[in-house]
Amino acid sequence: MQEAVALRVGLLGFGTVGSSFAEVLAATGADVRITRIFNRDVERKKSHERAKFVGAEVKWTSDATEVVTAEDVDVVVEVIGGLEPIEGWLTTAIHAGKHIVTANKQLIAYRGATLLALAAEKKVHLLYNAAVAGGVPVIPGITQGLSGDKITRISGILNGTCNFILSAMEKGAEYADVLKTAQSLGYAEANPSADVDGFDARAKLCVLSRLALRAELNPDEVPAQTISTVAAIDFAYAKELGCTLRQVSRAEVAGGKVHARVGPMLVPKEMPIAWSHDTQNMVVTSGEFGGDVVFSGHGAGGHPTAVAVTSDVLRIAAGAAAVRFPATASSVDGDVTAPHYIRFVVADQPGIVAAIAGALAKYNVNIDSLLQHRGYAAEKLPFVVTTEPCLRSTLERAVAEIAALEYMLEAPLVLQILTSDDHATD
Amino acid sequence: MQEAVALRVGLLGFGTVGSSFAEVLAATGADVRITRIFNRDVERKKSHERAKFVGAEVKWTSDATEVVTAEDVDVVVEVIGGLEPIEGWLTTAIHAGKHIVTANKQLIAYRGATLLALAAEKKVHLLYNAAVAGGVPVIPGITQGLSGDKITRISGILNGTCNFILSAMEKGAEYADVLKTAQSLGYAEANPSADVDGFDARAKLCVLSRLALRAELNPDEVPAQTISTVAAIDFAYAKELGCTLRQVSRAEVAGGKVHARVGPMLVPKEMPIAWSHDTQNMVVTSGEFGGDVVFSGHGAGGHPTAVAVTSDVLRIAAGAAAVRFPATASSVDGDVTAPHYIRFVVADQPGIVAAIAGALAKYNVNIDSLLQHRGYAAEKLPFVVTTEPCLRSTLERAVAEIAALEYMLEAPLVLQILTSDDHATD
Ligand SMILES: NC(=O)c1ccc[n+]([C@@H]2O[C@H](COP(=O)([O-])OP(=O)(O)OC[C@H]3O[C@@H](n4cnc5c(N)ncnc54)[C@H](OP(=O)(O)O)[C@@H]3O)[C@@H](O)[C@H]2O)c1
Ligand SMILES: NC(=O)c1ccc[n+]([C@@H]2O[C@H](COP(=O)([O-])OP(=O)(O)OC[C@H]3O[C@@H](n4cnc5c(N)ncnc54)[C@H](OP(=O)(O)O)[C@@H]3O)[C@@H](O)[C@H]2O)c1
């Protein structure tokens, strides 16, 4: 016979996070019990090494509807991922009066507005602390601790895989090699596009924008630049400029617009963003009254992510009120006024610098410095131009003209140089 | 006529934080209004530059009881400070069914257990995010975002004044000069003892220990070492050891005991704790499942602190449930096993090193290195010994013997060297 518990959990997904959740929840000793577990082809999950952390009376099923509408489930914990068929299952669960805890950033980024409105209507919780920065409590920090401030900007290292790759490249590794290492360690997927091309980080940035900037964004509108074109030489030049390179996600409210962008950027060594190493995540919020607040830690991994999921479940168990912050639907302006770094690779010949300088001047982009390391062959010569603050879209038009010059061997790489006082266009 | 608002605030104290709270609350546009303001000798406060942020209908009073039991007050916000007469007023307010928000670390450290129990009994909130690290949402992070973890250690930079002093000394300033600067900037009191001797940080450490370690400590039992004996030369030696110096507050659960200590420590440059500059605060929590999480930002100042107070008020307005975590009364073990730094100042003569080494050997303390900079007069020669990890209490016995040697000109300075894997005694 099963005694009454304060809260009963129906678990969707028994993979990395799901099985870690079972372990972390058991360790809390809280009066919360997993009553049902759904996974496709569930039989093999019963012999999972972490199956021992759930009680013998748990009902395992390969039919999600047996969980989302079950009498003996108060909270549905979703740790599968993706939009479909998840959205449908969770919608059914909310209609059935179940609270929801999820780690699914894509779902919350793309369908969050609808689901949150439905949850509010049905007076249930929809909590998703694990969806951004895994074990780092950025979402409770913003929603509970900084709700009194007017946050105008968020900058973050939101993808641990990219941070692992770029911080290894900082120490001398080549992109292709470190990507392979990341794949063999399980940090990167066989198809790494979601991580390296910025789609994962962009979804998280939109989740944070909703909470911190109160702006509802369409993730697809946020420009995402890949880190896959960053090379060892860029780290060498960045170092010379007192910087390192990180995949940075940034959103800022200025002049009534939301400026947002994800991609590799040059980060001055003294900025907190430069301190993240390996798979660490970091979020810096900038508030009108409270100034900059930094959160950092393990953004991923089964256990840290399960801590966030478990903390959400405990909040519901404690009877937390369903606090909502209104967010306004906003369009994204992907443009930014900032200093930039441009790396060219050319077949050297007289007149190149003049041609580049001329093209930049035509668009009123001022050159700040011109860097060229020795020891490269003239047939394939990399060199770097840094600019004074300029509008990225203007710069890209100038660079497009330069890219068309016959002696350009590669597409020029344009990267924003982060400064603490750079500002969005307005 | 006053329209009905969601929440009515009675404000105790219209000083730095109180007046900033009026401004920050007004900026949120939330449906929350200050109805009463208490301050001693209140007339002069009506012409305070931030009085414009409260409505004309607010009732100003020099009688606290007119606020704490008033019909038109739902939440009492206390930003005066100190134990008496505050405890009495807030007890009356709780009995009258008022929620409490306070920034008072001494009150929460020394009387928190009693007040929190009373608040739980009377089903009102007692929130105090501003009491630790001002505008940095460490408390919501721990209680809302990390409640699923088992936190075993907290390390922090909890006093902005000490951090200001020590980070200025790192750049070459002398203690006495930078203390004067801190006083003229309003960072330090005329009597700086609460800050520099560690009593302020110790109260905050105990507040965090209750929440993160679930251990109820008596602040007076936590050893607090002053930073006033740290000198420029210690920074020079620390640098040689790859370290800087910070006032660190640390509490750890190990072997069923709570080990806690506040004081200047040598911090390796690569540890996050070393990154705090100026008046910044930082807290690092170490969890069994989630690993290390770092929070940092402005630990003090009217506006950042008011953001924390306002966020608490908004949480109550949103109908947050009064979540409580049980904490166990625990005694403090101030001892630690760690490498240490000892700076001696001697009148040089043959045999000193042998005498020191002999005394340390007698207590089984192993010397790791012996550092001596050139250029000091033999009559007043500073030099440094670092030890391998040893029990601090044992080391202090050895150092007491050494201090008695006739050629010791000053009391030797003993500082812990922070390492990421140092452990409490058990
Ligand atoms: N891992 C992290 O570090 C991390 C961090 C933050 C957030 N998250 C999020 O947490 C969620 C889960 O991640 P994870 O790392 O735990 O993934 P995972 O290890 O792949 O686990 C997913 C589980 O769901 C099952 N599953 C997948 N698709 C299914 C379907 N259509 N029907 C039924 N079962 C299905 C999988 O079964 P099979 O065993 O058959 O594949 C697996 O057991 C994702 O939303 C992810 O973005 C993860
Ligand atoms: N300032 C910060 O950065 C900061 C950060 C974190 C927490 N806190 C905490 O916030 C609280 C307030 O700090 P604060 O900086 O705002 O101090 P403050 O500027 O000195 O303000 C205190 C206010 O309370 C009034 N007051 C003091 N004692 C009183 C008494 N016995 N009866 C009536 N009124 C009295 C003072 O009036 P007078 O004008 O007559 O002195 C003043 O208006 C303290 O608990 C402090 O520890 C402050």
Side-chain angles (χ1 to χ4, degrees):
Chain A
M1 227 200 73
Q2 202 173 316
E3 2 135 36
V5 286
L7 200 79
R8 298 158 304 175
V9 174
L11 181 60
L12 303 181
F14 204 76
T16 306
V17 179
S19 63
S20 297
F21 165 69
E23 178 176 0
V24 171
L25 178 67
T28 64
D31 193 16
V32 175
R33 186 175 301 153
I34 299 172
T35 50
R36 290 175 185 254
I37 300 175
F38 159 77
N39 205 97
R40 64 184 166 205
D41 192 8
V42 81
E43 278 308 315
R44 75 215 140 97
K45 297 289 181 180
K46 294 183 186 174
S47 51
H48 191 291
E49 53 160 345
R50 294 208 192 93
K52 65 171 180 268
F53 294 111
V54 298
E57 70 285 1
V58 71
K59 300 193 184 85
W60 299 82
T61 174
S62 297
D63 178 358
T65 57
E66 278 186 23
V67 175
V68 294
T69 59
E71 277 276 344
D72 59 2
V73 167
D74 306 304
V75 186
V76 171
V77 170
E78 185 271 309
V79 279
I80 292 177
L83 299 182
E84 290 308 334
I86 306 301
E87 188 184 11
W89 291 336
L90 296 190
T91 302
T92 304
I94 295 172
H95 277 288
K98 313 301 181 199
H99 301 292
I100 310 287
V101 172
T102 176
N104 190 330
K105 54 230 151 191
Q106 297 295 342
L107 184 77
I108 297 300
Y110 284 92
R111 307 288 156 81
T114 311
L115 287 169
L116 286 163
L118 180 65
E121 185 196 322
K122 299 289 171 193
K123 298 202 182 345
V124 298
H125 293 284
L126 168 50
L127 301 182
Y128 48 88
N129 291 337
V132 179
V136 190
V138 177
I139 291 180
I142 289 172
T143 58
Q144 308 285 322
L146 298 175
S147 64
D149 207 350
K150 280 199 182 322
I151 298 177
T152 54
R153 183 164 69 190
I154 3 174
S155 312
I157 304 282
L158 296 178
N159 183 279
T161 308
C162 288
N163 212 54
F164 177 83
I165 292 174
L166 294 176
S167 58
M169 288 178 75
E170 184 180 343
K171 291 186 204 111
E174 284 290 341
Y175 178 80
D177 298 337
V178 61
L179 174 59
K180 258 185 227 133
T181 308
Q183 284 165 328
S184 70
L185 288 169
Y187 295 158
E189 305 286 323
N191 176 354
S193 172
D195 291 324
V196 302
D197 296 338
F199 308 133
D200 172 83
R202 166 166 101 168
K204 295 169 181 168
L205 183 66
C206 291
V207 172
L208 290 183
S209 295
R210 181 187 290 134
L211 297 169
L213 308 178
R214 317 265 162 105
E216 187 66 48
L217 307 180
N218 176 354
D220 296 336
E221 289 182 9
V222 177
Q225 182 178 357
T226 184
I227 66 159
S228 62
T229 50
V230 170
I233 182 141
D234 298 309
F235 281 91
Y237 282 118
K239 193 171 175 187
E240 205 162 305
L241 294 161
C243 293
T244 185
L245 285 148
R246 290 290 183 266
Q247 187 210 43
V248 177
S249 301
R250 252 191 174 209
E252 180 175 10
V253 180
K257 285 197 253 175
V258 179
H259 305 266
R261 167 159 216 103
V262 172
M265 299 187 192
L266 273 78
V267 184
K269 295 258 192 201
E270 67 278 7
M271 286 180 81
I273 291 278
W275 305 337
S276 296
H277 284 284
D278 302 323
T279 58
Q280 273 178 3
N281 279 26
M282 179 180 280
V283 172
V284 184
T285 61
S286 306
E288 193 177 315
F289 296 111
D292 283 7
V293 173
V294 180
F295 301 85
S296 102
H298 295 285
H303 277 136
T305 307
V307 164
V309 172
T310 305
S311 301
D312 278 348
V313 170
L314 294 182
R315 251 180 87 196
I316 293 173
V323 182
R324 282 190 76 216
F325 297 93
T328 316
S330 314
S331 63
V332 175
D333 183 336
D335 223 349
V336 66
T337 298
H340 282 85
Y341 164 104
I342 321 162
R343 190 241 300 153
F344 301 100
V345 181
V346 298
D348 200 20
Q349 54 178 260
I352 294 185
V353 170
I356 290 174
L360 293 173
K362 181 176 151 194
Y363 288 92
N364 290 315
V365 172
N366 294 326
I367 293 178
D368 184 52
S369 68
L370 207 147
L371 306 175
Q372 189 175 328
H373 282 176
R374 279 168 217 193
Y376 290 92
E379 309 87 68
K380 202 177 171 208
L381 187 70
F383 73 94
V384 163
V385 170
T386 64
T387 74
E388 292 184 2
C390 62
L391 198 59
R392 182 165 184 124
S393 54
T394 309
L395 178 63
E396 283 181 349
R397 277 199 296 278
V399 170
E401 284 191 14
I402 297 168
L405 298 172
E406 76 216 18
Y407 38 74
M408 285 289 152
L409 301 180
E410 294 181 10
L413 177 67
V414 180
L415 302 174
Q416 181 177 335
I417 302 175
L418 224 56
T419 59
S420 35
D421 63 345
D422 55 355
H423 53 287
T425 56
D426 51 12
Chain B
M1 225 201 75
Q2 204 175 315
E3 1 135 36
V5 287
L7 200 79
R8 298 160 303 176
V9 174
L11 180 59
L12 302 181
F14 204 76
T16 307
V17 179
S19 65
S20 298
F21 165 69
E23 178 176 0
V24 171
L25 178 67
T28 64
D31 193 15
V32 175
R33 186 174 302 153
I34 299 173
T35 50
R36 291 174 185 255
I37 299 176
F38 159 77
N39 204 97
R40 62 184 167 203
D41 191 8
V42 81
E43 279 308 315
R44 78 214 138 96
K45 297 289 180 181
K46 293 183 186 172
S47 52
H48 190 289
E49 53 159 346
R50 293 209 192 93
K52 65 171 182 268
F53 295 111
V54 299
E57 70 286 0
V58 71
K59 300 193 185 86
W60 298 84
T61 174
S62 296
D63 178 357
T65 57
E66 278 186 20
V67 174
V68 296
T69 60
E71 277 278 343
D72 59 2
V73 166
D74 305 305
V75 185
V76 171
V77 171
E78 185 272 308
V79 279
I80 293 177
L83 298 182
E84 288 311 333
I86 307 301
E87 188 183 12
W89 291 337
L90 296 190
T91 302
T92 304
I94 295 172
H95 277 288
K98 313 299 181 199
H99 301 292
I100 309 287
V101 172
T102 176
N104 191 330
K105 53 230 152 191
Q106 297 295 342
L107 184 76
I108 298 300
Y110 284 93
R111 306 289 155 82
T114 311
L115 287 169
L116 286 163
L118 180 64
E121 185 195 323
K122 300 289 171 192
K123 299 203 183 343
V124 298
H125 293 285
L126 169 49
L127 301 183
Y128 49 88
N129 290 337
V132 179
V136 190
V138 177
I139 291 179
I142 290 172
T143 58
Q144 307 286 321
L146 299 175
S147 63
D149 207 350
K150 281 199 181 326
I151 298 177
T152 54
R153 183 162 69 189
I154 2 175
S155 313
I157 305 281
L158 295 179
N159 182 279
T161 308
C162 288
N163 212 54
F164 178 83
I165 292 174
L166 294 175
S167 57
M169 288 178 75
E170 183 180 345
K171 293 186 203 110
E174 284 289 341
Y175 178 80
D177 299 335
V178 61
L179 175 59
K180 258 184 228 135
T181 309
Q183 283 164 329
S184 70
L185 288 169
Y187 295 157
E189 306 285 323
N191 175 355
S193 171
D195 291 324
V196 302
D197 296 338
F199 307 133
D200 172 83
R202 165 167 101 168
K204 295 169 180 169
L205 183 66
C206 291
V207 173
L208 290 182
S209 294
R210 181 187 289 134
L211 296 170
L213 309 178
R214 316 266 162 102
E216 187 65 49
L217 307 180
N218 175 355
D220 296 336
E221 288 182 11
V222 177
Q225 183 178 356
T226 185
I227 66 160
S228 64
T229 49
V230 171
I233 183 142
D234 298 310
F235 281 92
Y237 281 118
K239 193 170 175 188
E240 206 163 305
L241 294 161
C243 293
T244 185
L245 284 148
R246 289 289 183 266
Q247 187 209 43
V248 177
S249 301
R250 248 187 177 211
E252 180 175 11
V253 180
K257 285 197 252 176
V258 180
H259 305 266
R261 169 161 215 104
V262 172
M265 300 188 191
L266 273 78
V267 184
K269 295 258 193 203
E270 67 277 5
M271 286 180 82
I273 290 279
W275 305 336
S276 297
H277 285 284
D278 302 322
T279 57
Q280 274 178 4
N281 279 26
M282 180 180 280
V283 172
V284 184
T285 60
S286 305
E288 193 177 316
F289 295 110
D292 282 8
V293 173
V294 180
F295 302 85
S296 100
H298 295 284
H303 278 136
T305 307
V307 164
V309 172
T310 306
S311 301
D312 277 349
V313 169
L314 294 182
R315 251 181 87 197
I316 294 173
V323 182
R324 283 192 74 217
F325 296 93
T328 315
S330 314
S331 63
V332 174
D333 183 335
D335 223 349
V336 64
T337 300
H340 282 83
Y341 165 104
I342 321 162
R343 190 239 302 153
F344 301 100
V345 181
V346 297
D348 200 19
Q349 54 177 262
I352 294 184
V353 170
I356 290 174
L360 293 173
K362 181 176 152 195
Y363 287 92
N364 288 316
V365 172
N366 293 326
I367 293 177
D368 184 50
S369 68
L370 207 149
L371 306 176
Q372 190 174 328
H373 283 177
R374 281 169 216 192
Y376 290 93
E379 309 86 70
K380 202 177 171 205
L381 186 72
F383 73 92
V384 163
V385 171
T386 65
T387 74
E388 292 185 0
C390 62
L391 199 59
R392 182 162 184 127
S393 54
T394 308
L395 178 63
E396 283 182 348
R397 277 200 294 280
V399 171
E401 284 193 12
I402 296 167
L405 297 173
E406 76 215 21
Y407 38 75
M408 285 289 152
L409 302 179
E410 295 181 10
L413 177 67
V414 181
L415 302 174
Q416 180 177 337
I417 302 175
L418 223 57
T419 60
S420 36
D421 61 346
D422 56 354
H423 53 287
T425 55
D426 51 12

